[in-house]
C-alpha cells in the first residue's frame, strides 16, 4: 500500500510541519486517515497529505553545509557594527559623533 | 423511573435522541481493537466518542428539564425504559453489517437533525447546529465505505446487500412516530412529523442507492412523487419494546454501575 | 557483510547524538535492532487494547466511558504509528501481525494478565501507563529519528491517560469500602508485573539497544525512576504494596524490593502468561473474520 506523508499546521498562518505518515489503498482514504491520526484531537488547523513518491529529498551535506569558503558576508553574524564604527570614526568628515 | 422522566412530550423526544446515540455508540465501541485495519479501529472509535458525546448532550438537556442527573438517566433505567430504535440493538456482526447500519442511521439522523436546527426549543436547536457539523465526518466515512463495498468486488457487494436487507425494516424505525408527537409539531419543537421526515430521508438517499445499483426498498407514489417503503418497518423501540439482544447489552452496560448505584466513579 | 569502517563511522555518529532517517544507510545489526525494538513496542500497544476494551462497555459513567474510549483509541493509534515506523525498516505490517499471532514475536508482560474489575481499569490507567511513559520519555532522543518523533506524538497523546487514571483512583479511594477494596485488590495483583515492566537488569555492556542509542536509558534506571515517583503517591492514598521487603535504601539512594522472578517474565513474554494464548487466539479469530475486508481493499494481495 502506498505511503502518504502528512504535514500539519498547528495554528492558522503558522508553518506546516511534518507530522508523520499513513498508509492507505487510495488517496481518499489517505485523507480520512490523516484526519484521524493527525487531527482527531483538534491539534491541526490545516493538513496537507502528499504521496511519499512525490517528495524529493536533498541530504548531501556538501550541498547543504559545504565547509570550505568563508560565507559570513551573507549572515548576520558576519557583521560587527562596533568594529566597523571603531575603524571608520577617524575618517568621517564633519562628524561629531560621541565616543 | 421513566414516568418521572417523561412528563412532557419534549422529554420523550430528548430521551429517544439520547438513547439512539448512546446505544449506537456502545455498538461501535465493540469494534475497538478488532476492526479490519488499525486505521478503522481509530475511525470507529472517533465516531463512537462523538455518539456518546451527543448522547451526553441530550441527557444533560433532560437533566436541566427534570433535575435527574445525566448519569442516572443513562444508567439507572430498566431495559424497557429505553427509547432507542431497534436498529441499534443488533449485536456486532460483520463489517458490512456495521457499515450498512452506520450509513442508514447517519443519513436518517442527518434529516432529523436538519429539522431540529429549526426547532423552537432553543437548547435543541443549538445542539443540533453543533452536532450536524460533527456528523460530517461520519457521512464522509460512510460514503467512502459504502462505495468501496458496493463496487470493489462481488463478495463485498453481496455481503453489503445481505446486511442492508436485514437492516432496512429496523432503519425505518428511526422514524417511528413518537408518543406525544402531535404536541411537539404543534409548538414547533419538532418542525416535521416523523412520518414526513422518513419520506424526506427516502427521497434523499434514493439516488445514492440507484447510482451504486443497490436494492432500494421504497417506491415513489405515481401522483404525489413521495417515497414510501416497500418493506414493513419494525416499530416498538420508541415505546420501550426491545429484544433479548438489548437486554444482554443493558446487563453488560450497567454491570459496574449496579454494583453500587450510589457510588461516585 | 557490512563494511567495518562504515559501521564504525556510523556507530561513532549515533553515539555522539547523530540521527538516522528513513532510507539512510545503516548497519544491518542496527536496522534489525530498531525493527525488533519498535515491533515489540507496536505489538504491546496492540495487545494492550485487549485487557481494557471490554470495560468500555461497562464504564459506569458517561465521562469515564468517553475517557476510556479515547485512551484505548490512542493505544490502537499508537500501534498504527509504530507499525508504520517498523514497516519502513523492511517488514510489512501483515508479516508483523502474522508473527505476533503465531507467537513468534513478543509483547510487554503486563498485557498477558487478566482484568477482573473496575479497580483493574483504574490501576492500569494510572500505573501501567505511568511505567510506559517512563520508558517512552527515555526514547524521545532515540538515534532513529522517525521513532523519536513518534515518541513525541505518543507522549503528547498519553498526557491525559495518567491524569484520567489517577482521577479514577482518587475517586475510588475516597469512595465506598467496596471501591477501596477493589483498588487494593487490583494493586495486589498488578504490583509484581509492574516491577518487572522495565525488564531485567541486563548488563549494560551487553545491551545493544543502548550501544546504538536506540534507547537512552538502562532498564534499572527506568525502574528506579518509576518507583521513586509512584511509591510515595501509592502510600499517600492509603494503599499498601504487597512486598514486605520494599524499603528505601538511603545510602544507595534506591528503592529495594523483592527481586522479581526473571524467569517468570521470560515465560510470560514468550506466550505463557495467564491470558497470552486466549488473547492471541482472539486476535487470530478476528483477523480471519475480517480478512475479506482487507482483500476487498487491496485485491487478493492482502
Amino acid at each position: 500500500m502506498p505511503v502518504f506523508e502528512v504535514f500539519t499546521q498547528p495554528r492558522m498562518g503558522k508553518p506546516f510541519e511534518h507530522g508523520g505518515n499513513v498508509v492507505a489503498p487510495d488517496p481518499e482514504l489517505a485523507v480520512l486517515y490523516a484526519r484521524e491520526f493527525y487531527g482527531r484531537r483538534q491539534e491541526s488547523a490545516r493538513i496537507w497529505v502528499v504521496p511519499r513518491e512525490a517528495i524529493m529529498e536533498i541530504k548531501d551535506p556538501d550541498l547543504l553545509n559545504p565547509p570550505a569558503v568563508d560565507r559570513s558576508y551573507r549572515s548576520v553574524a558576519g557583521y560587527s557594527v562596533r568594529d566597523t564604527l571603531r575603524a571608520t570614526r577617524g575618517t568621517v568628515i564633519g562628524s561629531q559623533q560621541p565616543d | 423511573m421513566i414516568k418521572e422522566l417523561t412528563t412532557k412530550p419534549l422529554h420523550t423526544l430528548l430521551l429517544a435522541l439520547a438513547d439512539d446515540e448512546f446505544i449506537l455508540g456502545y455498538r461501535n465501541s465493540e469494534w475497538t481493537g478488532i476492526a479490519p485495519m488499525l486505521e478503522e479501529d481509530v475511525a470507529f472509535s472517533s465516531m463512537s466518542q462523538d455518539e456518546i458525546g451527543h448522547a451526553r448532550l441530550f441527557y444533560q438537556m433532560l437533566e436541566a428539564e427534570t433535575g435527574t442527573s445525566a448519569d442516572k438517566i443513562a444508567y439507572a433505567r430498566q431495559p424497557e425504559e429505553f427509547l432507542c430504535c431497534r436498529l441499534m440493538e443488533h449485536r456486532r456482526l460483520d463489517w458490512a453489517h456495521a457499515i450498512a447500519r452506520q450509513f442508514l442511521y447517519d443519513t436518517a439522523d442527518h434529516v432529523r437533525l436538519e429539522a431540529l436546527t429549526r426547532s423552537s426549543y432553543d437548547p435543541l436547536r443549538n445542539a443540533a447546529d453543533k452536532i450536524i457539523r460533527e456528523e460530517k465526518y461520519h457521512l464522509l466515512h460512510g460514503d467512502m465505505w459504502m462505495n468501496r463495498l458496493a463496487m470493489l468486488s462481488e463478495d463485498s457487494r453481496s455481503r453489503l446487500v445481505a446486511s442492508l436487507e436485514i437492516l432496512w425494516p429496523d432503519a425505518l424505525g428511526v422514524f417511528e412516530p413518537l408518543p406525544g408527537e402531535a404536541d411537539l409539531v404543534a409548538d414547533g419543537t419538532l418542525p416535521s412529523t416523523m412520518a414526513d421526515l422518513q419520506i424526506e430521508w427516502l427521497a434523499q438517499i434514493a439516488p445514492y442507492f440507484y447510482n451504486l445499483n443497490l436494492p432500494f426498498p421504497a417506491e415513489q407514489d405515481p401522483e404525489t412523487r413521495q417515497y414510501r417503503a416497500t418493506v414493513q418497518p419494525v416499530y416498538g423501540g420508541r415505546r420501550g419494546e426491545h429484544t433479548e439482544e438489548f437486554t444482554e447489552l443493558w446487563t453488560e452496560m450497567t454491570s459496574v454501575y449496579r454494583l453500587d448505584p450510589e457510588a461516585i466513579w | 557483510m557490512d563494511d567495518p569502517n562504515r559501521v564504525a563511522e556510523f556507530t561513532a555518529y549515533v553515539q555522539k547524538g547523530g540521527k538516522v532517517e528513513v532510507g539512510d544507510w545503516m548497519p544491518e545489526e542496527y536496522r534489525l535492532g530498531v525493527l525488533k525494538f519498535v515491533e515489540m513496542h507496536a505489538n504491546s500497544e496492540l495487545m494492550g487494547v485487549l485487557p481494557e476494551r471490554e470495560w468500555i462497555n461497562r464504564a459506569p459513567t458517561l465521562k469515564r466511558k468517553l475517557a476510556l474510549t479515547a485512551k484505548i483509541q490512542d493505544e490502537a493509534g499508537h500501534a498504527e504509528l509504530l507499525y508504520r515506523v517498523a514497516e519502513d525498516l523492511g517488514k510489512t505490517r501483515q508479516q508483523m501481525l502474522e508473527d505476533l499471532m503465531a507467537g513468534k514475536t513478543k509483547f510487554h508482560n503486563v498485557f498477558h494478565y487478566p482484568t477482573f474489575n473496575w479497580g483493574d481499569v483504574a490501576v492500569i490507567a494510572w500505573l501501567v501507563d505511568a511505567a510506559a511513559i517512563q520508558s517512552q520519555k527515555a526514547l524521545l532522543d532515540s538515534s532513529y529519528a522517525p521513532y523519536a518523533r513518534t515518541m513525541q506524538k505518543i507522549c503528547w497523546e498519553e498526557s491525559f491517560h495518567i491524569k484520567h487514571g489517577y482521577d479514577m483512583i482518587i475517586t475510588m479511594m475516597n469512595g465506598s469500602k467496596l471501591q477501596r477494596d477493589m483498588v487494593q485488590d487490583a494493586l495486589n495483583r498488578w504490583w509484581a508485573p509492574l516491577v518487572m515492566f522495565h525488564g531485567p537488569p541486563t548488563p549494560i555492556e551487553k545491551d545493544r539497544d543502548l550501544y546504538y542509542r536506540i534507547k537512552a536509558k538502562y532498564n534499572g534506571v527506568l525502574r528506579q525512576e518509576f518507583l521513586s515517583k509512584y511509591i510515595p503517591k501509592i502510600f499517600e492514598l492509603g494503599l499498601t504494596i504487597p512486598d514486605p521487603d520494599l524499603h528505601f535504601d538511603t545510602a544507595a539512594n534506591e528503592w529495594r524490593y523483592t527481586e522479581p522472578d526473571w524467569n517468570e517474565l521470560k515465560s510470560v513474554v514468550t506466550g505463557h502468561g495467564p491470558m497470552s494464548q486466549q488473547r492471541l487466539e482472539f486476535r487470530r479469530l478476528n483477523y480471519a473474520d475480517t480478512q475479506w475486508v482487507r482483500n476487498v481493499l487491496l485485491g487478493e494481495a492482502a
Side-chain angles (χ1 to χ4, degrees):
Chain A
M1 278 205 283
V3 177
F4 297 81
E5 299 293 341
V6 181
F7 298 84
T8 60
Q9 186 188 46
R11 286 189 314 288
M12 217 167 30
K14 295 295 173 196
F16 282 79
E17 299 164 354
H18 178 243
N21 47 63
V22 295
V23 280
D26 59 67
E28 246 189 5
L29 281 174
V31 166
L32 195 81
Y33 296 148
R35 182 275 195 179
E36 274 312 310
F37 289 96
Y38 299 95
R40 74 174 182 272
R41 295 282 149 88
Q42 288 89 54
E43 66 262 53
S44 306
R46 204 181 275 234
I47 299 179
W48 285 343
V49 184
V50 182
R52 179 178 271 180
E53 64 203 11
I55 297 191
M56 293 168 282
E57 182 181 74
I58 311 174
K59 67 181 184 191
D60 187 340
D62 291 341
L63 293 177
L64 295 171
N65 283 296
V69 181
D70 172 13
R71 290 191 172 80
S72 64
Y73 60 83
R74 60 189 196 200
S75 82
V76 168
Y79 293 88
S80 164
V81 176
R82 191 181 58 192
D83 289 349
T84 304
L85 273 176
R86 250 191 223 127
T88 59
R89 197 173 300 127
T91 61
V92 173
I93 298 165
S95 113
Q96 274 155 37
Q97 299 296 323
D99 205 327
Chain B
M1 187 178 180
I2 191 135
K3 293 225 159 49
E4 304 90 68
L5 279 180
T6 52
T7 54
K8 300 192 310 206
L10 168 68
H11 301 165
T12 307
L13 173 63
L14 291 176
L15 208 51
L17 292 169
D19 287 347
D20 273 356
E21 293 282 314
F22 194 42
I23 302 304
L24 183 61
Y26 181 101
R27 286 296 183 215
N28 284 347
S29 58
E30 286 177 331
W31 281 105
T32 310
I34 54 179
M37 295 120 66
L38 281 164
E39 288 79 358
E40 288 298 330
D41 270 300
V42 179
F44 249 72
S45 187
S46 280
M47 297 198 293
S48 174
Q49 285 169 65
D50 285 346
E51 282 143 13
I52 294 172
H54 300 161
R56 184 164 70 157
L57 256 176
F58 293 126
Y59 287 135
Q60 284 168 342
M61 275 191 259
L62 197 49
E63 176 179 340
E65 281 275 317
T66 63
T68 307
S69 80
D71 277 333
K72 268 262 176 298
I73 297 172
Y75 288 92
R77 283 176 292 153
Q78 292 298 302
E80 62 275 10
E81 296 180 300
F82 278 76
L83 303 184
C84 48
C85 65
R86 298 275 277 265
L87 184 62
M88 319 314 186
E89 296 179 27
H90 299 258
R91 68 171 59 88
R92 181 185 63 82
L93 293 175
D94 83 343
W95 189 247
H97 184 265
I99 295 294
R101 169 169 46 200
Q102 195 67 35
F103 182 79
L104 290 172
Y105 177 73
D106 281 334
T107 49
D109 189 44
H110 181 82
V111 169
R112 186 171 62 181
L113 283 170
E114 199 283 320
L116 291 172
T117 60
R118 290 175 278 112
S119 172
S120 59
Y121 182 65
D122 284 349
L124 203 44
R125 194 178 61 248
N126 294 332
D129 268 333
K130 283 193 233 155
I131 292 175
I132 213 169
R133 290 174 58 185
E134 271 190 355
E135 296 275 335
K136 244 193 225 179
Y137 178 78
H138 299 214
L139 291 168
L140 186 66
H141 181 271
D143 174 58
M144 285 189 192
W145 275 100
M146 286 290 283
N147 262 286
R148 280 159 182 73
L149 291 181
M151 305 305 284
L152 285 182
S153 83
E154 266 316 304
D155 178 49
S156 62
R157 166 173 283 265
S158 63
R159 288 175 194 255
L160 181 62
V161 168
S163 293
L164 284 166
E165 196 176 320
I166 297 172
L167 293 167
W168 268 115
D170 293 318
L172 291 162
V174 174
F175 299 106
E176 175 181 348
L178 278 175
E181 190 178 290
D183 292 351
L184 294 173
V185 175
D187 70 16
T189 305
L190 193 57
S192 305
T193 62
M194 287 298 175
D196 281 344
L197 290 177
Q198 185 184 92
I199 292 169
E200 205 181 308
W201 173 55
L202 292 171
Q204 264 188 32
I205 58 176
Y208 194 84
F209 279 76
Y210 293 142
N211 287 341
L212 287 179
N213 210 15
L214 292 167
F216 189 61
E219 64 195 5
Q220 273 180 302
D221 181 291
E223 278 159 27
T224 65
R225 309 303 296 156
Q226 281 187 346
Y227 275 95
R228 58 168 171 257
T230 50
V231 294
Q232 258 311 87
V234 168
Y235 288 164
R238 306 299 183 205
R239 294 189 302 275
E241 292 162 22
H242 301 293
T243 58
E244 221 9 76
E245 279 173 303
F246 184 74
T247 308
E248 275 170 32
L249 181 160
W250 176 89
T251 307
E252 180 91 14
M253 182 169 80
T254 56
S255 55
V256 175
Y257 169 80
R258 281 181 291 113
L259 286 176
D260 187 354
E262 300 315 308
I264 298 175
W265 298 97
Chain C
M1 261 323 296
D2 292 321
D3 170 7
N5 288 327
R6 239 183 145 182
V7 173
E9 201 180 298
F10 176 92
T11 307
Y13 170 72
V14 297
Q15 285 179 348
K16 275 203 299 261
K19 303 298 180 197
V20 183
E21 296 286 353
V22 177
D24 285 355
W25 183 86
M26 57 187 86
E28 191 62 359
E29 187 193 4
Y30 181 83
R31 185 184 69 82
L32 291 171
V34 182
L35 176 56
K36 185 172 179 189
F37 196 89
V38 178
E39 185 178 5
M40 176 160 171
H41 194 170
N43 289 345
S44 301
E45 294 278 349
L46 186 66
M47 295 306 284
V49 169
L50 298 187
E52 296 183 283
R53 62 179 286 281
E54 31 196 86
W55 294 98
I56 295 177
N57 285 336
R58 301 176 196 153
T61 72
L62 294 163
K63 184 171 179 180
R64 295 302 183 209
K65 203 182 193 56
L66 285 164
L68 194 57
T69 308
K71 174 192 192 293
I72 298 175
Q73 176 187 45
D74 283 351
E75 278 150 26
H78 297 166
E80 189 275 350
L81 295 173
L82 292 164
Y83 281 125
R84 260 290 51 246
V85 171
E87 199 170 47
D88 279 345
L89 287 164
K91 189 171 179 183
T92 65
R93 192 197 293 183
Q94 183 184 340
Q95 191 62 60
M96 290 189 273
L97 292 175
E98 285 175 5
D99 282 354
L100 171 67
M101 292 185 292
K104 290 186 187 158
T105 50
K106 304 188 205 143
F107 57 99
H108 248 78
N109 73 319
V110 285
F111 307 120
H112 295 256
Y113 292 93
T115 54
F116 291 107
N117 58 51
W118 190 251
D120 292 67
V121 179
V123 167
I124 291 173
W126 184 36
L127 294 174
V128 171
D129 269 50
I133 288 190
Q134 214 58 45
S135 302
Q136 278 158 198
K137 281 198 190 146
L139 296 166
L140 290 172
D141 202 33
S142 176
S143 57
Y144 190 61
Y147 188 40
R149 289 192 293 264
T150 302
M151 284 303 105
Q152 275 170 32
K153 185 170 165 62
I154 287 180
C155 284
W156 183 83
E157 288 178 359
E158 297 230 338
S159 53
F160 94 83
H161 297 192
I162 290 198
K163 289 210 82 177
H164 155 248
Y166 194 48
D167 193 68
M168 281 200 283
I169 296 266
I170 298 179
T171 306
M172 289 173 80
M173 290 309 289
N174 283 321
S176 65
K177 180 167 190 308
L178 171 88
Q179 289 174 300
R180 287 195 299 277
D181 288 348
M182 239 189 226
V183 177
Q184 183 66 66
D185 170 63
L187 183 63
N188 290 345
R189 285 179 287 102
W190 285 95
W191 183 253
L194 281 167
V195 178
M196 288 192 262
F197 182 93
H198 294 103
T202 327
I204 294 186
E205 333 66 82
K206 289 214 175 118
D207 196 331
R208 297 305 272 177
D209 296 329
L210 271 175
Y211 179 71
Y212 280 121
R213 292 203 86 231
I214 296 169
K215 72 183 191 201
K217 276 187 184 166
Y218 167 63
N219 294 346
V221 169
L222 291 171
R223 182 169 17 257
Q224 282 299 327
E225 284 177 358
F226 169 68
L227 295 174
S228 300
K229 205 164 173 190
Y230 290 94
I231 290 177
K233 292 194 160 93
I234 292 171
F235 287 145
E236 210 171 73
L237 289 164
L239 289 160
T240 60
I241 293 180
D243 180 356
D245 288 343
L246 182 73
H247 65 276
F248 190 71
D249 182 335
T250 31
N253 201 34
E254 276 195 351
W255 280 95
R256 299 287 179 218
Y257 44 86
T258 307
E259 190 67 18
D261 179 358
W262 295 113
N263 287 323
E264 182 186 328
L265 177 72
K266 189 162 184 193
S267 167
V268 166
V269 298
T270 52
H272 304 98
M275 294 299 287
S276 316
Q277 289 312 308
Q278 203 165 318
R279 287 187 180 145
L280 287 174
E281 180 60 14
F282 182 73
R283 279 248 144 261
R284 283 190 286 265
L285 283 173
N286 280 294
Y287 196 71
D289 273 349
T290 53
Q291 185 59 43
W292 72 267
V293 185
R294 290 183 294 278
N295 289 346
V296 158
L297 288 183
L298 305 168
E300 294 307 320

